[in-house]
Amino acid sequence: MKRKLIAAIGIAGMMVSIAACGGDKDSGGSDNGSDAKELTVWLTVDAQNNWPELVKAADAAVQKAHPGVKITHEYYGWPDKNAKLDAVLATDKVPDVVEMGNTEMLSYMVKGAFASLDASKFDNSSAWLDGLKDSVTYEGKTYGVPYYAGGRVANWRKDVFAKAGVKSVPTTYAELTAALDKVQKKQGSKFSAWYQPTRDWYAAMSFVYDAGGSIAVESGGQWKGNLSSADSIKGLNEFKNVVDKYMHGDKTKDESDRYIVYGQGKSGMIFAPAWEGATAAAKENDKTGKLAGNVENFVMPGPSGKNLPVFLGGSDLAVPVKSDAQALAAEWINAFTGPSGQKGLIAKGNLPNNKTDLATLKNDPATAVPATAAESNWFVPMAPGWGQVEKAQVLQNMLQSIGTGKKSVEDAAKEADAAIDKVINTK
């Protein structure tokens, strides 16, 4: 399969060239690199911290089929992962498997950074969740494999709310804010009734979409920022209200260590991926000794009167086109994302990558909340330059300006729209 010459992937000013790659077969199922003796896998710290046993199981499966294969893992935090990936893609020594957020895939696929894969070679591919399937598909070809999905849910400390006189899960936004007001009054100004990191754009945009707004709109094949529209401003104002009233931590932080902060016992509630509450309550993270048995997920109500729409995000796994072990990389991905892997990820509070497994979750009390929450969802604009919007952290910077009071909601939104408009249509 002929490859494009690639330019402009990555950090500002860096030009990445990926040489044409010989062979017409897709990686999944071909023998391109099937005899490789080494495999390098890049994952985010989520896997390292929360399901390392699933990584080991995938390694064992591949090494059983290919005795002597050396598998090396590197782990990265979400904020700096892509800058490091972009830098290494400019070289001839690339990882063989990389984890990508599903919103990050498009710009890399457009520029030909990843090898195409034979989707039929991967378990459950015929039932992949639509949002995840779309995120790995470009011009009819598959360039990645969905890993897991994540919808956000509310998680509260039952003991903290009970002390404030609240013993039933809030089912409306009015009930929720009334309960939070009671907790805030009971605990005092140094406590966050709701620990909501200011730069958490996934949460903020849920309020925007709940209000009828959006990040961007498309007309005539062109995208344009929409954060300064009346509906979007309404949602951003409500997010600011939450941060102002209930968030008394550092208002320049993102959500990357939210579960650690929650485990420190200085907050009563979070709105986060479903696994974070249980992870905060794990022995190594619970600094209070009180979280086990006291944290509970529930479906987040929205100001509109409906469930708050959640970002149906997730991670995909891709194989860089420069990898010399593409077939072996595809085998590792299938071992990691197959039925046993999905079972393990579900047990950790994630949503599976496929509709078959998802359909069973609403019938299980342990997974009914995240499965129900995911029914009302939103996704990022599928615009060619969306990856550049993410890399520039346009939304995060806007939210920090709003949360810290440096700019009004209106001014910050207008500035964000202008920044979005500069890059969102650029391939």
Side-chain angles (χ1 to χ4, degrees):
M1 176 170 43
K2 293 183 178 179
R3 297 287 171 191
K4 302 174 183 177
L5 204 63
I6 310 206
I9 292 180
I11 55 180
M14 181 176 73
M15 302 299 287
V16 177
S17 279
I18 297 179
C21 180
D24 292 329
K25 295 182 181 180
D26 291 329
S27 299
S30 79
D31 60 358
N32 180 15
S34 60
D35 58 350
K37 300 302 181 184
E38 295 185 7
L39 193 70
T40 299
V41 178
W42 280 20
L43 300 172
T44 68
V45 293
D46 295 339
Q48 182 182 33
N49 295 335
N50 301 304
W51 43 88
E53 69 278 10
L54 303 183
V55 178
K56 291 179 181 178
D59 289 352
V62 170
Q63 289 171 330
K64 182 178 180 180
H66 301 273
V69 165
K70 178 183 177 181
I71 303 177
T72 302
H73 296 279
E74 295 186 27
Y75 296 93
Y76 296 92
W78 285 105
D80 59 1
K81 173 182 67 69
N82 282 4
K84 292 179 179 179
L85 175 61
D86 294 337
V88 79
L89 287 179
T91 73
D92 291 325
K93 187 170 178 58
V94 300
D96 304 298
V97 177
V98 294
E99 177 179 352
M100 304 293 295
N102 61 342
T103 66
E104 299 170 341
M105 285 289 295
L106 182 60
S107 62
Y108 288 83
M109 294 189 297
V110 167
K111 297 181 176 83
F114 298 143
S116 64
L117 304 172
D118 181 355
S120 69
K121 301 297 184 182
F122 297 91
D123 294 324
N124 296 317
S125 60
S126 62
W128 283 343
L129 297 178
D130 293 339
L132 297 186
K133 181 178 180 180
D134 290 346
S135 75
V136 300
T137 305
Y138 179 66
E139 293 185 342
K141 292 189 176 183
T142 301
Y143 290 94
V145 176
Y147 169 11
Y148 66 91
R152 272 125 179 103
V153 299
N155 182 284
W156 72 342
R157 282 188 58 179
K158 294 185 290 183
D159 56 339
V160 169
F161 279 80
K163 287 179 181 178
V166 182
K167 297 182 179 179
S168 299
V169 169
T171 58
T172 69
Y173 195 68
E175 288 179 358
L176 175 64
T177 54
L180 289 166
D181 289 342
K182 291 178 180 179
V183 169
Q184 197 64 69
K185 182 178 180 180
K186 179 75 173 179
Q187 296 290 337
S189 61
K190 294 184 179 181
F191 187 86
S192 294
W194 175 352
Y195 179 75
Q196 178 50 63
T198 310
R199 290 173 65 85
D200 178 8
W201 64 277
Y202 300 105
M205 294 304 106
S206 287
F207 282 94
V208 166
Y209 281 88
D210 183 68
S214 61
I215 299 171
V217 291
E218 185 268 340
S219 179
Q222 290 293 300
W223 288 86
K224 185 175 179 60
N226 193 47
L227 293 166
S228 57
S229 68
D231 288 339
S232 295
I233 292 294
K234 181 180 179 181
L236 288 170
N237 273 322
E238 186 54 43
F239 181 75
K240 175 176 170 55
N241 184 53
V242 167
V243 172
D244 287 349
K245 290 183 69 175
Y246 308 122
M247 166 61 176
H248 299 289
D250 183 350
K251 293 187 179 180
T252 66
K253 287 179 66 65
D254 64 19
E255 69 280 11
S256 60
D257 65 347
R258 174 174 41 213
Y259 69 93
I260 294 175
V261 176
Y262 195 34
Q264 293 170 348
K266 298 177 182 179
S267 52
M269 177 188 133
I270 57 175
F271 175 53
W275 57 266
E276 287 197 23
T279 302
K283 186 176 180 180
E284 63 271 20
N285 296 321
D286 180 8
K287 304 307 180 184
T288 71
K290 299 177 181 179
L291 269 61
N294 268 319
V295 292
E296 179 183 25
N297 286 337
F298 62 94
V299 178
M300 182 73 175
S304 68
K306 301 177 181 179
N307 292 340
L308 192 72
V310 300
F311 170 69
L312 191 59
S315 280
D316 301 322
L317 298 173
V319 180
V321 72
K322 285 186 176 181
S323 167
D324 292 327
Q326 292 179 20
L328 193 63
E331 286 188 45
W332 190 92
I333 291 173
N334 194 43
F336 191 49
T337 63
S340 61
Q342 293 302 304
K343 183 178 180 180
L345 289 165
I346 289 170
K348 295 291 185 177
N350 298 289
L351 297 178
N353 67 1
N354 66 91
K355 298 173 185 176
T356 304
D357 288 332
L358 184 66
T360 68
L361 300 188
K362 288 185 68 176
N363 300 322
D364 184 345
T367 53
V369 168
T372 301
E375 290 181 323
S376 177
N377 60 74
W378 61 272
F379 195 60
V380 299
M382 289 300 287
W386 174 251
Q388 296 185 54
V389 176
E390 282 208 41
K391 287 178 183 178
Q393 299 192 10
V394 173
L395 300 183
Q396 294 95 320
N397 293 336
M398 173 191 72
L399 294 170
Q400 183 170 323
S401 294
I402 292 171
T404 57
K406 289 185 176 180
K407 293 177 182 175
S408 69
V409 170
E410 291 77 9
D411 287 347
K414 287 179 182 178
E415 185 176 288
D417 276 348
I420 289 171
D421 290 347
K422 288 181 180 179
V423 297
I424 196 167
N425 294 295
T426 303
K427 290 186 177 181

